[in-house]
Amino acid sequence: MLKRFTVKNYKNFKDEISLDFSKIAGYQFNKDCLSMGLIGKMLIYGRNATGKTNFGRALLDIKTLLYGMFRNDENSVLINADSQEDTAKFIYEFQFGSDEVIYTYSRFANTELCDEELYINGEVVFKCDFKNSKFYFQGLSIINAETVNTNRYLNKGEMDNEYVLPFLRWFINNTAFSDNSVLIKLSKYVRKMDLITVSNNNQIHLSMFSYRKFFEDLKNPVYLHNFEDFLNLMGIECKLVLQELPDGQVELYFSQNKLVPFYSTASSGMLALTSLYQKIVSNLSLIYLDDFAAFYHYEMAEKLISFIKNKYPECQFIMTSHNTNLMTNKIMRPDCLFILSSKGTLTALCDATERELREGHNLEKMYISGEFEKYE
């Protein structure tokens, strides 16, 4: 699981900003917000333009680096406009059982790598300084990979002409590791990280592939029943039917006295909820849900958080919201509620006041009255 994330000089985050999943207070309620000794479910609040979406993009940068497509796109990694530094710095600290993995790298504005380092249990596995063409691979013996032919990687013929290939990406793809290898665990975790945002048309961005796969999954009666149960759990009482059309396509309907087409009659909130379900139903490791409650009544948003906690206890969920009704100890806890300030600081509510916050405190009332204003 992700233990700590730090980014510096990325877009509106000029100074270093960190999210520490291991900083847990001693609260004895809502322990389902925790997972394996780390924060598993959290809510981040922040005024408009504080960088909640940018923080999510920064957090998911590692997935783009290791598994995405590279482009020299100046908007992909944008250096802070007021900074004199020419790179953005990313630090990921993971915990897999008793193993601690730290992966750190810097990227220029055009997304190209400047440097890259990997540590396992405090020992250096490799260091790559692409800017100065200096490389250290002696630590590969730590993971019994000292026989890997690093000259193949360093050979320009093995590298793309348009960008510097991350060594970790090449290393994982060109080395036979056992299934219990810490690097295989890291690889699987990063692959299953995802960023989910709500678009202007109230829909969560989905690829055509995801949309088609959803309908293929609905052909399974168990999957259709689970989706129906999910909507009913969210307070939408309905019965669903999937029917095949004469052209071979399938259509989803509400089953009433007559069949009513689902997608043409569902409300914008229900469509956003459906799109979200299509994404979170996958087996993911970490999900950044940006402004997830924008189109939900606060009671539905509460039910959604409860569903997430019960259904996905081991998946780390980071949710951003402006809905202060969710700032409550009824479903969360002060060490899992954060404020992102316009200055680029991230502070848990339990650290944003001199009071000792307890289960009985009305956190929303305190927030609205300005109790935490210093950290906004």
Side-chain angles (χ1 to χ4, degrees):
M1 298 183 72
L2 185 60
K3 184 177 179 180
R4 182 183 175 93
F5 169 68
T6 302
V7 66
K8 180 182 180 182
N9 205 34
Y10 178 87
K11 297 193 176 181
N12 52 302
F13 302 112
K14 178 181 178 181
D15 298 321
E16 186 176 282
I17 179 173
S18 295
L19 180 57
D20 191 346
F21 295 85
S22 66
K23 193 174 182 180
I24 298 172
Y27 297 107
Q28 298 302 308
F29 57 93
N30 289 331
K31 292 185 178 180
D32 52 3
C33 289
L34 310 179
S35 180
M36 301 181 188
L38 300 172
I39 295 176
K41 311 294 181 289
M42 67 172 63
L43 266 170
I44 297 178
Y45 290 86
R47 294 177 178 176
N48 295 94
T50 55
K52 296 186 295 297
T53 301
N54 283 342
F55 190 73
R57 290 171 179 163
L59 182 64
L60 268 290
D61 192 79
I62 187 174
K63 185 173 183 178
T64 302
L65 185 78
L66 298 183
Y67 301 108
M69 297 298 293
F70 279 74
R71 298 175 301 166
N72 286 332
D73 182 352
E74 293 185 358
N75 292 321
S76 295
V77 175
L78 193 63
I79 305 304
N80 182 273
D82 296 325
S83 175
Q84 299 299 316
E85 300 179 29
D86 59 356
T87 62
K89 184 77 171 181
F90 302 83
I91 304 174
Y92 297 84
E93 301 177 35
F94 298 93
Q95 188 74 43
F96 300 109
S98 59
D99 292 317
E100 183 177 83
V101 180
I102 299 178
Y103 181 53
T104 176
Y105 59 88
S106 298
R107 299 177 74 174
F108 294 106
N110 66 351
T111 78
E112 190 164 333
L113 275 174
C114 175
D115 54 60
E116 176 188 20
E117 299 177 3
L118 179 70
Y119 300 81
I120 296 180
N121 297 325
E123 296 187 79
V124 181
V125 178
F126 68 78
K127 290 185 178 182
C128 297
D129 181 350
F130 303 105
K131 186 176 181 179
N132 299 300
S133 298
K134 295 181 179 180
F135 303 90
Y136 173 87
F137 297 126
Q138 284 85 342
L140 297 183
S141 58
I142 296 171
I143 50 176
N144 302 315
E146 62 270 21
T147 59
V148 171
N149 187 358
T150 54
N151 288 328
R152 286 187 54 202
Y153 171 76
L154 297 175
N155 188 327
K156 292 184 179 180
E158 296 290 331
M159 302 178 68
D160 192 297
N161 292 327
E162 294 183 359
Y163 65 87
V164 174
L165 182 69
F167 179 72
L168 182 59
R169 180 172 180 164
W170 179 90
F171 188 42
I172 292 174
N173 291 333
N174 291 274
T175 308
F177 293 106
S178 62
D179 290 340
N180 64 350
S181 167
V182 67
L183 288 190
I184 294 300
K185 294 176 182 178
L186 172 65
S187 174
K188 289 181 178 179
Y189 185 94
V190 174
R191 277 187 181 275
K192 294 178 180 180
M193 295 172 65
D194 205 357
L195 169 65
I196 301 176
T197 60
V198 179
S199 68
N200 292 332
N201 63 353
N202 303 354
Q203 294 286 332
I204 292 174
H205 294 297
L206 288 172
S207 66
M208 185 56 66
F209 172 79
S210 298
Y211 182 79
R212 290 173 178 170
K213 185 180 183 301
F214 180 61
F215 271 87
E216 285 298 317
D217 291 337
L218 288 178
K219 292 180 182 179
N220 184 331
V222 174
Y223 192 99
L224 180 63
H225 179 70
N226 289 341
F227 177 50
E228 181 183 283
D229 281 350
F230 170 73
L231 293 179
N232 280 280
L233 187 63
M234 293 301 105
I236 303 171
E237 297 183 9
C238 64
K239 175 70 176 176
L240 300 178
V241 174
L242 193 71
Q243 284 201 347
E244 186 172 344
L245 304 178
D247 61 359
Q249 300 294 318
V250 292
E251 185 65 62
L252 184 63
Y253 295 92
F254 292 110
S255 178
Q256 298 176 340
N257 293 333
K258 296 181 180 180
L259 294 181
V260 179
F262 180 88
Y263 278 94
S264 60
T265 57
S267 67
S268 59
M270 190 184 301
L271 291 176
L273 191 66
T274 299
S275 298
L276 177 59
Y277 180 82
Q278 292 173 247
K279 295 286 287 185
I280 66 175
V281 75
S282 303
N283 182 23
L284 298 173
S285 59
L286 180 147
I287 302 179
Y288 193 94
L289 289 178
D290 191 28
D291 205 9
F292 84 106
F295 303 99
Y296 308 140
H297 185 273
Y298 79 91
E299 289 182 346
M300 179 180 285
E302 288 183 0
K303 291 177 180 178
L304 182 57
I305 293 176
S306 296
F307 172 81
I308 287 172
K309 291 197 294 183
N310 293 330
K311 187 71 173 179
Y312 309 103
E314 296 184 0
C315 180
Q316 291 176 287
F317 276 81
I318 305 167
M319 298 163 277
T320 74
S321 180
H322 294 111
N323 187 345
T324 57
N325 289 111
L326 303 176
M327 191 179 284
T328 170
N329 285 324
K330 182 170 66 174
I331 54 174
M332 299 298 292
R333 39 191 278 169
D335 55 349
C336 297
L337 293 163
F338 291 79
I339 296 175
L340 179 61
S341 75
S342 57
K343 298 178 181 178
T345 59
L346 193 60
T347 310
L349 291 195
C350 59
D351 296 325
T353 177
E354 294 182 359
R355 298 195 202 187
E356 181 181 345
L357 296 182
R358 300 179 181 178
E359 187 174 3
H361 277 113
N362 187 326
L363 301 180
E364 180 189 23
K365 185 177 179 180
M366 294 173 64
Y367 177 78
I368 294 174
S369 66
E371 178 76 21
F372 315 113
E373 188 173 10
K374 178 182 176 181
Y375 296 90
E376 285 194 299

